[in-house]
Amino acid sequence: MEKYINNFEFTISNNSETKEKLTSYFKSYDFEQEKDENENLLFVKKWSILNGWKFNPLNWETKIDIKLTKNNKVIINHIVHSNGFLTPIAFKSLFEKFLLNLEQFVEFDIKHKPNNIQEIKLAKEKVFKYHGILILGIVVGMFLGIIISNATGIKLLGTVGIIVGAIATEKIMNKYLENNNNLQHRI
């Protein structure tokens, strides 16, 4: 499954408070700070066995590498891994707005929580919807497996139907999501 990768950059007028604001922004969303060396910061969310049940895409395995340059630029490399079922590319809008809200907070002190809460709510609704589609695919696979199992007398085919339904639904759904989001990005 593909990762979501975004390089984001913005210019700041006052570099003195930038590190503190960046740190407070990411810590307010429970990111761990792994590095604070010179003008480089690294914030992460680590993978866990429960990733598949994390409905907020901001809680998926993530790495945010930030570099502050001498010419008052903030350069961010943002990488998000899937939750095990869904491609993070489907949530590109959330991730992009999350970084745009960061820019507004760092540069203009604009409150970020209300905007991010709304974006997270929309993303969670999408996650619930996509998990529902996945469950539907498993159920369809189970019924097809039962039908084939009863027709052939091979009971193992019922279990195979569930597995094939889950894998096929996941692959088709993620391919659709990747293509749909890539097309929207090019427009």
PDB file of all heavy atoms in Angstrom, residues 2-5 60 86-97 119 123 126 129-130 172-187:
ATOM      1  N   GLU A   2       0.464   2.232  -0.718  1.00  0.00           N
ATOM      2  CA  GLU A   2       1.254   3.455  -0.828  1.00  0.00           C
ATOM      3  C   GLU A   2       1.221   4.269   0.454  1.00  0.00           C
ATOM      4  O   GLU A   2       0.264   4.213   1.213  1.00  0.00           O
ATOM      5  CB  GLU A   2       0.720   4.322  -1.968  1.00  0.00           C
ATOM      6  CG  GLU A   2       1.035   3.774  -3.328  1.00  0.00           C
ATOM      7  CD  GLU A   2       0.692   4.768  -4.415  1.00  0.00           C
ATOM      8  OE1 GLU A   2       0.998   5.961  -4.244  1.00  0.00           O
ATOM      9  OE2 GLU A   2       0.117   4.338  -5.422  1.00  0.00           O
ATOM     10  N   LYS A   3       2.275   5.037   0.661  1.00  0.00           N
ATOM     11  CA  LYS A   3       2.325   5.992   1.759  1.00  0.00           C
ATOM     12  C   LYS A   3       1.886   7.344   1.221  1.00  0.00           C
ATOM     13  O   LYS A   3       1.994   7.610   0.034  1.00  0.00           O
ATOM     14  CB  LYS A   3       3.752   6.182   2.281  1.00  0.00           C
ATOM     15  CG  LYS A   3       4.492   4.979   2.648  1.00  0.00           C
ATOM     16  CD  LYS A   3       5.866   5.390   3.143  1.00  0.00           C
ATOM     17  CE  LYS A   3       6.908   4.616   2.417  1.00  0.00           C
ATOM     18  NZ  LYS A   3       8.215   4.714   2.988  1.00  0.00           N
ATOM     19  N   TYR A   4       1.463   8.188   2.117  1.00  0.00           N
ATOM     20  CA  TYR A   4       1.195   9.576   1.763  1.00  0.00           C
ATOM     21  C   TYR A   4       2.484  10.339   2.053  1.00  0.00           C
ATOM     22  O   TYR A   4       3.016  10.287   3.165  1.00  0.00           O
ATOM     23  CB  TYR A   4       0.046  10.134   2.602  1.00  0.00           C
ATOM     24  CG  TYR A   4      -0.093  11.634   2.482  1.00  0.00           C
ATOM     25  CD1 TYR A   4      -0.749  12.204   1.405  1.00  0.00           C
ATOM     26  CD2 TYR A   4       0.471  12.480   3.427  1.00  0.00           C
ATOM     27  CE1 TYR A   4      -0.861  13.573   1.282  1.00  0.00           C
ATOM     28  CE2 TYR A   4       0.360  13.853   3.317  1.00  0.00           C
ATOM     29  CZ  TYR A   4      -0.306  14.392   2.240  1.00  0.00           C
ATOM     30  OH  TYR A   4      -0.408  15.750   2.116  1.00  0.00           O
ATOM     31  N   ILE A   5       2.993  11.028   1.046  1.00  0.00           N
ATOM     32  CA  ILE A   5       4.220  11.816   1.198  1.00  0.00           C
ATOM     33  C   ILE A   5       3.931  13.221   0.686  1.00  0.00           C
ATOM     34  O   ILE A   5       3.431  13.394  -0.419  1.00  0.00           O
ATOM     35  CB  ILE A   5       5.399  11.202   0.415  1.00  0.00           C
ATOM     36  CG1 ILE A   5       5.689   9.796   0.929  1.00  0.00           C
ATOM     37  CG2 ILE A   5       6.638  12.090   0.530  1.00  0.00           C
ATOM     38  CD1 ILE A   5       6.707   9.020   0.104  1.00  0.00           C
ATOM     39  N   TRP A  60      -2.413   7.713  12.781  1.00  0.00           N
ATOM     40  CA  TRP A  60      -1.715   6.621  12.113  1.00  0.00           C
ATOM     41  C   TRP A  60      -0.210   6.868  12.159  1.00  0.00           C
ATOM     42  O   TRP A  60       0.245   7.979  12.444  1.00  0.00           O
ATOM     43  CB  TRP A  60      -2.177   6.507  10.670  1.00  0.00           C
ATOM     44  CG  TRP A  60      -3.635   6.155  10.525  1.00  0.00           C
ATOM     45  CD1 TRP A  60      -4.510   5.804  11.517  1.00  0.00           C
ATOM     46  CD2 TRP A  60      -4.393   6.150   9.322  1.00  0.00           C
ATOM     47  NE1 TRP A  60      -5.751   5.579  11.007  1.00  0.00           N
ATOM     48  CE2 TRP A  60      -5.710   5.776   9.655  1.00  0.00           C
ATOM     49  CE3 TRP A  60      -4.082   6.412   8.002  1.00  0.00           C
ATOM     50  CZ2 TRP A  60      -6.713   5.654   8.706  1.00  0.00           C
ATOM     51  CZ3 TRP A  60      -5.089   6.298   7.057  1.00  0.00           C
ATOM     52  CH2 TRP A  60      -6.380   5.922   7.405  1.00  0.00           C
ATOM     53  N   LEU A  86      -6.527   0.931   5.005  1.00  0.00           N
ATOM     54  CA  LEU A  86      -6.830   2.044   4.105  1.00  0.00           C
ATOM     55  C   LEU A  86      -5.580   2.808   3.705  1.00  0.00           C
ATOM     56  O   LEU A  86      -4.692   3.022   4.514  1.00  0.00           O
ATOM     57  CB  LEU A  86      -7.791   3.028   4.789  1.00  0.00           C
ATOM     58  CG  LEU A  86      -9.146   2.481   5.174  1.00  0.00           C
ATOM     59  CD1 LEU A  86      -9.911   3.494   6.001  1.00  0.00           C
ATOM     60  CD2 LEU A  86      -9.952   2.126   3.934  1.00  0.00           C
ATOM     61  N   THR A  87      -5.564   3.237   2.463  1.00  0.00           N
ATOM     62  CA  THR A  87      -4.464   4.065   1.996  1.00  0.00           C
ATOM     63  C   THR A  87      -4.580   5.463   2.597  1.00  0.00           C
ATOM     64  O   THR A  87      -5.671   6.044   2.610  1.00  0.00           O
ATOM     65  CB  THR A  87      -4.428   4.153   0.458  1.00  0.00           C
ATOM     66  OG1 THR A  87      -3.377   5.036   0.076  1.00  0.00           O
ATOM     67  CG2 THR A  87      -5.723   4.650  -0.128  1.00  0.00           C
ATOM     68  N   PRO A  88      -3.489   6.024   3.097  1.00  0.00           N
ATOM     69  CA  PRO A  88      -3.566   7.381   3.645  1.00  0.00           C
ATOM     70  C   PRO A  88      -3.777   8.438   2.566  1.00  0.00           C
ATOM     71  O   PRO A  88      -4.173   9.565   2.866  1.00  0.00           O
ATOM     72  CB  PRO A  88      -2.215   7.563   4.340  1.00  0.00           C
ATOM     73  CG  PRO A  88      -1.303   6.602   3.673  1.00  0.00           C
ATOM     74  CD  PRO A  88      -2.159   5.445   3.247  1.00  0.00           C
ATOM     75  N   ILE A  89      -3.572   8.073   1.312  1.00  0.00           N
ATOM     76  CA  ILE A  89      -3.771   9.008   0.204  1.00  0.00           C
ATOM     77  C   ILE A  89      -5.230   9.465   0.150  1.00  0.00           C
ATOM     78  O   ILE A  89      -5.534  10.586  -0.241  1.00  0.00           O
ATOM     79  CB  ILE A  89      -3.309   8.371  -1.125  1.00  0.00           C
ATOM     80  CG1 ILE A  89      -1.788   8.158  -1.080  1.00  0.00           C
ATOM     81  CG2 ILE A  89      -3.699   9.222  -2.325  1.00  0.00           C
ATOM     82  CD1 ILE A  89      -1.229   7.330  -2.204  1.00  0.00           C
ATOM     83  N   ALA A  90      -6.143   8.629   0.624  1.00  0.00           N
ATOM     84  CA  ALA A  90      -7.563   8.992   0.649  1.00  0.00           C
ATOM     85  C   ALA A  90      -7.841  10.151   1.603  1.00  0.00           C
ATOM     86  O   ALA A  90      -8.887  10.786   1.514  1.00  0.00           O
ATOM     87  CB  ALA A  90      -8.402   7.782   1.053  1.00  0.00           C
ATOM     88  N   PHE A  91      -6.889  10.438   2.488  1.00  0.00           N
ATOM     89  CA  PHE A  91      -7.076  11.482   3.487  1.00  0.00           C
ATOM     90  C   PHE A  91      -6.129  12.655   3.255  1.00  0.00           C
ATOM     91  O   PHE A  91      -5.807  13.400   4.170  1.00  0.00           O
ATOM     92  CB  PHE A  91      -6.910  10.886   4.887  1.00  0.00           C
ATOM     93  CG  PHE A  91      -7.869   9.757   5.110  1.00  0.00           C
ATOM     94  CD1 PHE A  91      -7.491   8.447   4.866  1.00  0.00           C
ATOM     95  CD2 PHE A  91      -9.169  10.009   5.486  1.00  0.00           C
ATOM     96  CE1 PHE A  91      -8.390   7.408   5.021  1.00  0.00           C
ATOM     97  CE2 PHE A  91     -10.079   8.985   5.649  1.00  0.00           C
ATOM     98  CZ  PHE A  91      -9.693   7.673   5.414  1.00  0.00           C
ATOM     99  N   LYS A  92      -5.723  12.798   1.998  1.00  0.00           N
ATOM    100  CA  LYS A  92      -4.811  13.870   1.604  1.00  0.00           C
ATOM    101  C   LYS A  92      -5.345  15.238   2.012  1.00  0.00           C
ATOM    102  O   LYS A  92      -4.597  16.096   2.478  1.00  0.00           O
ATOM    103  CB  LYS A  92      -4.581  13.800   0.093  1.00  0.00           C
ATOM    104  CG  LYS A  92      -3.693  14.876  -0.433  1.00  0.00           C
ATOM    105  CD  LYS A  92      -3.440  14.867  -1.912  1.00  0.00           C
ATOM    106  CE  LYS A  92      -4.104  13.855  -2.731  1.00  0.00           C
ATOM    107  NZ  LYS A  92      -3.667  13.828  -4.118  1.00  0.00           N
ATOM    108  N   SER A  93      -6.619  15.450   1.869  1.00  0.00           N
ATOM    109  CA  SER A  93      -7.228  16.736   2.210  1.00  0.00           C
ATOM    110  C   SER A  93      -7.005  17.066   3.690  1.00  0.00           C
ATOM    111  O   SER A  93      -6.644  18.193   4.033  1.00  0.00           O
ATOM    112  CB  SER A  93      -8.724  16.710   1.888  1.00  0.00           C
ATOM    113  OG  SER A  93      -9.338  17.881   2.326  1.00  0.00           O
ATOM    114  N   LEU A  94      -7.211  16.089   4.563  1.00  0.00           N
ATOM    115  CA  LEU A  94      -6.982  16.294   5.997  1.00  0.00           C
ATOM    116  C   LEU A  94      -5.534  16.679   6.257  1.00  0.00           C
ATOM    117  O   LEU A  94      -5.256  17.652   6.962  1.00  0.00           O
ATOM    118  CB  LEU A  94      -7.330  15.037   6.788  1.00  0.00           C
ATOM    119  CG  LEU A  94      -6.871  15.023   8.257  1.00  0.00           C
ATOM    120  CD1 LEU A  94      -7.603  16.070   9.070  1.00  0.00           C
ATOM    121  CD2 LEU A  94      -7.032  13.640   8.851  1.00  0.00           C
ATOM    122  N   PHE A  95      -4.600  15.931   5.694  1.00  0.00           N
ATOM    123  CA  PHE A  95      -3.180  16.175   5.954  1.00  0.00           C
ATOM    124  C   PHE A  95      -2.737  17.540   5.422  1.00  0.00           C
ATOM    125  O   PHE A  95      -1.975  18.252   6.078  1.00  0.00           O
ATOM    126  CB  PHE A  95      -2.317  15.067   5.356  1.00  0.00           C
ATOM    127  CG  PHE A  95      -2.660  13.689   5.873  1.00  0.00           C
ATOM    128  CD1 PHE A  95      -2.776  12.620   5.006  1.00  0.00           C
ATOM    129  CD2 PHE A  95      -2.875  13.468   7.224  1.00  0.00           C
ATOM    130  CE1 PHE A  95      -3.090  11.350   5.481  1.00  0.00           C
ATOM    131  CE2 PHE A  95      -3.196  12.202   7.710  1.00  0.00           C
ATOM    132  CZ  PHE A  95      -3.300  11.145   6.829  1.00  0.00           C
ATOM    133  N   GLU A  96      -3.232  17.910   4.239  1.00  0.00           N
ATOM    134  CA  GLU A  96      -2.859  19.209   3.673  1.00  0.00           C
ATOM    135  C   GLU A  96      -3.428  20.359   4.501  1.00  0.00           C
ATOM    136  O   GLU A  96      -2.730  21.335   4.781  1.00  0.00           O
ATOM    137  CB  GLU A  96      -3.317  19.306   2.216  1.00  0.00           C
ATOM    138  CG  GLU A  96      -2.504  18.432   1.293  1.00  0.00           C
ATOM    139  CD  GLU A  96      -3.005  18.390  -0.135  1.00  0.00           C
ATOM    140  OE1 GLU A  96      -4.094  18.945  -0.430  1.00  0.00           O
ATOM    141  OE2 GLU A  96      -2.304  17.784  -0.976  1.00  0.00           O
ATOM    142  N   LYS A  97      -4.677  20.234   4.917  1.00  0.00           N
ATOM    143  CA  LYS A  97      -5.284  21.291   5.730  1.00  0.00           C
ATOM    144  C   LYS A  97      -4.651  21.359   7.121  1.00  0.00           C
ATOM    145  O   LYS A  97      -4.535  22.440   7.698  1.00  0.00           O
ATOM    146  CB  LYS A  97      -6.794  21.096   5.799  1.00  0.00           C
ATOM    147  CG  LYS A  97      -7.445  21.423   4.467  1.00  0.00           C
ATOM    148  CD  LYS A  97      -8.918  21.172   4.458  1.00  0.00           C
ATOM    149  CE  LYS A  97      -9.465  21.483   3.061  1.00  0.00           C
ATOM    150  NZ  LYS A  97     -10.848  21.085   2.912  1.00  0.00           N
ATOM    151  N   GLU A 119     -12.040  19.011  10.211  1.00  0.00           N
ATOM    152  CA  GLU A 119     -11.390  18.137   9.227  1.00  0.00           C
ATOM    153  C   GLU A 119     -11.250  16.709   9.761  1.00  0.00           C
ATOM    154  O   GLU A 119     -11.447  15.740   9.024  1.00  0.00           O
ATOM    155  CB  GLU A 119     -10.017  18.690   8.840  1.00  0.00           C
ATOM    156  CG  GLU A 119     -10.076  19.975   8.049  1.00  0.00           C
ATOM    157  CD  GLU A 119     -10.860  19.851   6.754  1.00  0.00           C
ATOM    158  OE1 GLU A 119     -10.763  18.808   6.068  1.00  0.00           O
ATOM    159  OE2 GLU A 119     -11.586  20.798   6.427  1.00  0.00           O
ATOM    160  N   ALA A 123     -12.823  13.217   8.248  1.00  0.00           N
ATOM    161  CA  ALA A 123     -11.954  12.071   7.970  1.00  0.00           C
ATOM    162  C   ALA A 123     -12.446  10.826   8.709  1.00  0.00           C
ATOM    163  O   ALA A 123     -12.455   9.725   8.143  1.00  0.00           O
ATOM    164  CB  ALA A 123     -10.518  12.391   8.362  1.00  0.00           C
ATOM    165  N   LYS A 126     -15.240   9.264   6.881  1.00  0.00           N
ATOM    166  CA  LYS A 126     -14.752   8.497   5.733  1.00  0.00           C
ATOM    167  C   LYS A 126     -14.192   7.153   6.186  1.00  0.00           C
ATOM    168  O   LYS A 126     -14.433   6.123   5.550  1.00  0.00           O
ATOM    169  CB  LYS A 126     -13.664   9.282   4.983  1.00  0.00           C
ATOM    170  CG  LYS A 126     -14.176  10.397   4.105  1.00  0.00           C
ATOM    171  CD  LYS A 126     -13.063  11.237   3.518  1.00  0.00           C
ATOM    172  CE  LYS A 126     -12.389  10.603   2.353  1.00  0.00           C
ATOM    173  NZ  LYS A 126     -11.402  11.510   1.710  1.00  0.00           N
ATOM    174  N   LYS A 129     -16.988   4.802   6.944  1.00  0.00           N
ATOM    175  CA  LYS A 129     -17.598   4.383   5.673  1.00  0.00           C
ATOM    176  C   LYS A 129     -16.747   3.308   5.003  1.00  0.00           C
ATOM    177  O   LYS A 129     -17.267   2.273   4.566  1.00  0.00           O
ATOM    178  CB  LYS A 129     -17.738   5.599   4.754  1.00  0.00           C
ATOM    179  CG  LYS A 129     -18.213   5.286   3.362  1.00  0.00           C
ATOM    180  CD  LYS A 129     -18.229   6.558   2.520  1.00  0.00           C
ATOM    181  CE  LYS A 129     -18.342   6.260   1.053  1.00  0.00           C
ATOM    182  NZ  LYS A 129     -18.198   7.474   0.238  1.00  0.00           N
ATOM    183  N   TYR A 130     -15.438   3.520   4.923  1.00  0.00           N
ATOM    184  CA  TYR A 130     -14.565   2.564   4.248  1.00  0.00           C
ATOM    185  C   TYR A 130     -14.453   1.255   5.023  1.00  0.00           C
ATOM    186  O   TYR A 130     -14.366   0.183   4.429  1.00  0.00           O
ATOM    187  CB  TYR A 130     -13.192   3.167   3.984  1.00  0.00           C
ATOM    188  CG  TYR A 130     -13.251   4.384   3.077  1.00  0.00           C
ATOM    189  CD1 TYR A 130     -12.433   5.482   3.296  1.00  0.00           C
ATOM    190  CD2 TYR A 130     -14.145   4.453   2.010  1.00  0.00           C
ATOM    191  CE1 TYR A 130     -12.498   6.608   2.474  1.00  0.00           C
ATOM    192  CE2 TYR A 130     -14.223   5.570   1.191  1.00  0.00           C
ATOM    193  CZ  TYR A 130     -13.396   6.641   1.428  1.00  0.00           C
ATOM    194  OH  TYR A 130     -13.466   7.740   0.623  1.00  0.00           O
ATOM    195  N   ILE A 172      -9.460  -3.432  -4.148  1.00  0.00           N
ATOM    196  CA  ILE A 172     -10.300  -2.646  -5.062  1.00  0.00           C
ATOM    197  C   ILE A 172     -10.587  -1.271  -4.476  1.00  0.00           C
ATOM    198  O   ILE A 172     -10.474  -0.249  -5.160  1.00  0.00           O
ATOM    199  CB  ILE A 172     -11.611  -3.407  -5.384  1.00  0.00           C
ATOM    200  CG1 ILE A 172     -11.305  -4.645  -6.221  1.00  0.00           C
ATOM    201  CG2 ILE A 172     -12.609  -2.501  -6.087  1.00  0.00           C
ATOM    202  CD1 ILE A 172     -12.466  -5.626  -6.334  1.00  0.00           C
ATOM    203  N   MET A 173     -10.950  -1.237  -3.189  1.00  0.00           N
ATOM    204  CA  MET A 173     -11.287   0.035  -2.547  1.00  0.00           C
ATOM    205  C   MET A 173     -10.073   0.968  -2.520  1.00  0.00           C
ATOM    206  O   MET A 173     -10.182   2.145  -2.864  1.00  0.00           O
ATOM    207  CB  MET A 173     -11.787  -0.221  -1.120  1.00  0.00           C
ATOM    208  CG  MET A 173     -12.208   1.016  -0.381  1.00  0.00           C
ATOM    209  SD  MET A 173     -12.945   0.654   1.234  1.00  0.00           S
ATOM    210  CE  MET A 173     -11.669  -0.309   2.023  1.00  0.00           C
ATOM    211  N   ASN A 174      -8.896   0.459  -2.139  1.00  0.00           N
ATOM    212  CA  ASN A 174      -7.703   1.307  -2.074  1.00  0.00           C
ATOM    213  C   ASN A 174      -7.254   1.760  -3.454  1.00  0.00           C
ATOM    214  O   ASN A 174      -6.799   2.889  -3.613  1.00  0.00           O
ATOM    215  CB  ASN A 174      -6.578   0.603  -1.321  1.00  0.00           C
ATOM    216  CG  ASN A 174      -6.797   0.658   0.179  1.00  0.00           C
ATOM    217  OD1 ASN A 174      -7.219   1.673   0.706  1.00  0.00           O
ATOM    218  ND2 ASN A 174      -6.517  -0.435   0.851  1.00  0.00           N
ATOM    219  N   LYS A 175      -7.395   0.910  -4.453  1.00  0.00           N
ATOM    220  CA  LYS A 175      -7.041   1.321  -5.815  1.00  0.00           C
ATOM    221  C   LYS A 175      -7.957   2.449  -6.263  1.00  0.00           C
ATOM    222  O   LYS A 175      -7.518   3.439  -6.844  1.00  0.00           O
ATOM    223  CB  LYS A 175      -7.135   0.124  -6.774  1.00  0.00           C
ATOM    224  CG  LYS A 175      -6.488   0.370  -8.094  1.00  0.00           C
ATOM    225  CD  LYS A 175      -5.036   0.697  -7.858  1.00  0.00           C
ATOM    226  CE  LYS A 175      -4.200   0.499  -9.054  1.00  0.00           C
ATOM    227  NZ  LYS A 175      -2.861   1.051  -8.862  1.00  0.00           N
ATOM    228  N   TYR A 176      -9.240   2.308  -5.974  1.00  0.00           N
ATOM    229  CA  TYR A 176     -10.196   3.365  -6.304  1.00  0.00           C
ATOM    230  C   TYR A 176      -9.839   4.663  -5.586  1.00  0.00           C
ATOM    231  O   TYR A 176      -9.831   5.734  -6.182  1.00  0.00           O
ATOM    232  CB  TYR A 176     -11.623   2.924  -5.936  1.00  0.00           C
ATOM    233  CG  TYR A 176     -12.621   4.052  -6.007  1.00  0.00           C
ATOM    234  CD1 TYR A 176     -13.140   4.470  -7.226  1.00  0.00           C
ATOM    235  CD2 TYR A 176     -13.022   4.725  -4.860  1.00  0.00           C
ATOM    236  CE1 TYR A 176     -14.038   5.527  -7.301  1.00  0.00           C
ATOM    237  CE2 TYR A 176     -13.915   5.781  -4.923  1.00  0.00           C
ATOM    238  CZ  TYR A 176     -14.417   6.172  -6.151  1.00  0.00           C
ATOM    239  OH  TYR A 176     -15.296   7.218  -6.213  1.00  0.00           O
ATOM    240  N   LEU A 177      -9.569   4.567  -4.296  1.00  0.00           N
ATOM    241  CA  LEU A 177      -9.241   5.759  -3.499  1.00  0.00           C
ATOM    242  C   LEU A 177      -7.967   6.433  -3.992  1.00  0.00           C
ATOM    243  O   LEU A 177      -7.890   7.652  -4.077  1.00  0.00           O
ATOM    244  CB  LEU A 177      -9.110   5.394  -2.021  1.00  0.00           C
ATOM    245  CG  LEU A 177     -10.403   4.981  -1.329  1.00  0.00           C
ATOM    246  CD1 LEU A 177     -10.129   4.437   0.068  1.00  0.00           C
ATOM    247  CD2 LEU A 177     -11.379   6.133  -1.276  1.00  0.00           C
ATOM    248  N   GLU A 178      -6.945   5.638  -4.316  1.00  0.00           N
ATOM    249  CA  GLU A 178      -5.691   6.208  -4.821  1.00  0.00           C
ATOM    250  C   GLU A 178      -5.921   6.908  -6.158  1.00  0.00           C
ATOM    251  O   GLU A 178      -5.469   8.032  -6.362  1.00  0.00           O
ATOM    252  CB  GLU A 178      -4.630   5.119  -4.967  1.00  0.00           C
ATOM    253  CG  GLU A 178      -4.094   4.632  -3.641  1.00  0.00           C
ATOM    254  CD  GLU A 178      -3.220   3.396  -3.770  1.00  0.00           C
ATOM    255  OE1 GLU A 178      -2.893   2.980  -4.902  1.00  0.00           O
ATOM    256  OE2 GLU A 178      -2.847   2.845  -2.722  1.00  0.00           O
ATOM    257  N   ASN A 179      -6.636   6.256  -7.079  1.00  0.00           N
ATOM    258  CA  ASN A 179      -6.902   6.858  -8.390  1.00  0.00           C
ATOM    259  C   ASN A 179      -7.768   8.100  -8.262  1.00  0.00           C
ATOM    260  O   ASN A 179      -7.519   9.110  -8.912  1.00  0.00           O
ATOM    261  CB  ASN A 179      -7.565   5.843  -9.326  1.00  0.00           C
ATOM    262  CG  ASN A 179      -6.608   4.757  -9.756  1.00  0.00           C
ATOM    263  OD1 ASN A 179      -5.398   4.918  -9.703  1.00  0.00           O
ATOM    264  ND2 ASN A 179      -7.160   3.637 -10.171  1.00  0.00           N
ATOM    265  N   ASN A 180      -8.806   8.028  -7.431  1.00  0.00           N
ATOM    266  CA  ASN A 180      -9.718   9.152  -7.255  1.00  0.00           C
ATOM    267  C   ASN A 180      -8.984  10.362  -6.674  1.00  0.00           C
ATOM    268  O   ASN A 180      -9.171  11.475  -7.121  1.00  0.00           O
ATOM    269  CB  ASN A 180     -10.872   8.731  -6.334  1.00  0.00           C
ATOM    270  CG  ASN A 180     -11.966   9.769  -6.299  1.00  0.00           C
ATOM    271  OD1 ASN A 180     -12.230  10.445  -7.279  1.00  0.00           O
ATOM    272  ND2 ASN A 180     -12.604   9.895  -5.146  1.00  0.00           N
ATOM    273  N   ASN A 181      -8.153  10.155  -5.675  1.00  0.00           N
ATOM    274  CA  ASN A 181      -7.427  11.263  -5.061  1.00  0.00           C
ATOM    275  C   ASN A 181      -6.303  11.776  -5.947  1.00  0.00           C
ATOM    276  O   ASN A 181      -5.999  12.960  -5.922  1.00  0.00           O
ATOM    277  CB  ASN A 181      -6.888  10.868  -3.689  1.00  0.00           C
ATOM    278  CG  ASN A 181      -7.988  10.942  -2.635  1.00  0.00           C
ATOM    279  OD1 ASN A 181      -8.415  12.020  -2.296  1.00  0.00           O
ATOM    280  ND2 ASN A 181      -8.452   9.803  -2.188  1.00  0.00           N
ATOM    281  N   ASN A 182      -5.679  10.925  -6.727  1.00  0.00           N
ATOM    282  CA  ASN A 182      -4.640  11.389  -7.649  1.00  0.00           C
ATOM    283  C   ASN A 182      -5.250  12.232  -8.766  1.00  0.00           C
ATOM    284  O   ASN A 182      -4.672  13.214  -9.183  1.00  0.00           O
ATOM    285  CB  ASN A 182      -3.858  10.215  -8.250  1.00  0.00           C
ATOM    286  CG  ASN A 182      -2.899   9.609  -7.238  1.00  0.00           C
ATOM    287  OD1 ASN A 182      -2.500  10.273  -6.282  1.00  0.00           O
ATOM    288  ND2 ASN A 182      -2.557   8.365  -7.434  1.00  0.00           N
ATOM    289  N   LEU A 183      -6.435  11.864  -9.226  1.00  0.00           N
ATOM    290  CA  LEU A 183      -7.097  12.650 -10.265  1.00  0.00           C
ATOM    291  C   LEU A 183      -7.514  14.018  -9.721  1.00  0.00           C
ATOM    292  O   LEU A 183      -7.361  15.015 -10.384  1.00  0.00           O
ATOM    293  CB  LEU A 183      -8.332  11.899 -10.790  1.00  0.00           C
ATOM    294  CG  LEU A 183      -8.062  10.684 -11.652  1.00  0.00           C
ATOM    295  CD1 LEU A 183      -9.375   9.967 -11.977  1.00  0.00           C
ATOM    296  CD2 LEU A 183      -7.337  11.060 -12.921  1.00  0.00           C
ATOM    297  N   GLN A 184      -8.036  14.049  -8.493  1.00  0.00           N
ATOM    298  CA  GLN A 184      -8.437  15.316  -7.907  1.00  0.00           C
ATOM    299  C   GLN A 184      -7.239  16.236  -7.711  1.00  0.00           C
ATOM    300  O   GLN A 184      -7.350  17.428  -7.859  1.00  0.00           O
ATOM    301  CB  GLN A 184      -9.093  15.083  -6.551  1.00  0.00           C
ATOM    302  CG  GLN A 184     -10.463  14.478  -6.644  1.00  0.00           C
ATOM    303  CD  GLN A 184     -11.046  14.213  -5.279  1.00  0.00           C
ATOM    304  OE1 GLN A 184     -10.444  14.487  -4.246  1.00  0.00           O
ATOM    305  NE2 GLN A 184     -12.244  13.635  -5.244  1.00  0.00           N
ATOM    306  N   HIS A 185      -6.101  15.654  -7.389  1.00  0.00           N
ATOM    307  CA  HIS A 185      -4.902  16.453  -7.132  1.00  0.00           C
ATOM    308  C   HIS A 185      -4.403  17.118  -8.414  1.00  0.00           C
ATOM    309  O   HIS A 185      -3.872  18.212  -8.375  1.00  0.00           O
ATOM    310  CB  HIS A 185      -3.810  15.565  -6.534  1.00  0.00           C
ATOM    311  CG  HIS A 185      -2.633  16.328  -6.049  1.00  0.00           C
ATOM    312  ND1 HIS A 185      -2.708  17.255  -5.022  1.00  0.00           N
ATOM    313  CD2 HIS A 185      -1.350  16.347  -6.464  1.00  0.00           C
ATOM    314  CE1 HIS A 185      -1.540  17.776  -4.819  1.00  0.00           C
ATOM    315  NE2 HIS A 185      -0.681  17.250  -5.678  1.00  0.00           N
ATOM    316  N   ARG A 186      -4.580  16.467  -9.556  1.00  0.00           N
ATOM    317  CA  ARG A 186      -4.067  17.003 -10.826  1.00  0.00           C
ATOM    318  C   ARG A 186      -4.938  18.116 -11.384  1.00  0.00           C
ATOM    319  O   ARG A 186      -4.511  18.888 -12.197  1.00  0.00           O
ATOM    320  CB  ARG A 186      -3.982  15.876 -11.851  1.00  0.00           C
ATOM    321  CG  ARG A 186      -2.885  14.901 -11.520  1.00  0.00           C
ATOM    322  CD  ARG A 186      -2.788  13.854 -12.601  1.00  0.00           C
ATOM    323  NE  ARG A 186      -2.003  12.764 -12.084  1.00  0.00           N
ATOM    324  CZ  ARG A 186      -2.187  11.497 -12.400  1.00  0.00           C
ATOM    325  NH1 ARG A 186      -3.122  11.168 -13.250  1.00  0.00           N
ATOM    326  NH2 ARG A 186      -1.439  10.565 -11.878  1.00  0.00           N
ATOM    327  N   ILE A 187      -6.194  18.161 -10.987  1.00  0.00           N
ATOM    328  CA  ILE A 187      -7.119  19.159 -11.547  1.00  0.00           C
ATOM    329  C   ILE A 187      -6.764  20.547 -11.061  1.00  0.00           C
ATOM    330  O   ILE A 187      -6.401  20.805 -10.008  1.00  0.00           O
ATOM    331  CB  ILE A 187      -8.578  18.786 -11.190  1.00  0.00           C
ATOM    332  CG1 ILE A 187      -8.932  17.500 -11.919  1.00  0.00           C
ATOM    333  CG2 ILE A 187      -9.526  19.905 -11.551  1.00  0.00           C
ATOM    334  CD1 ILE A 187     -10.286  16.947 -11.564  1.00  0.00           C
TER     335      ILE A 187
END
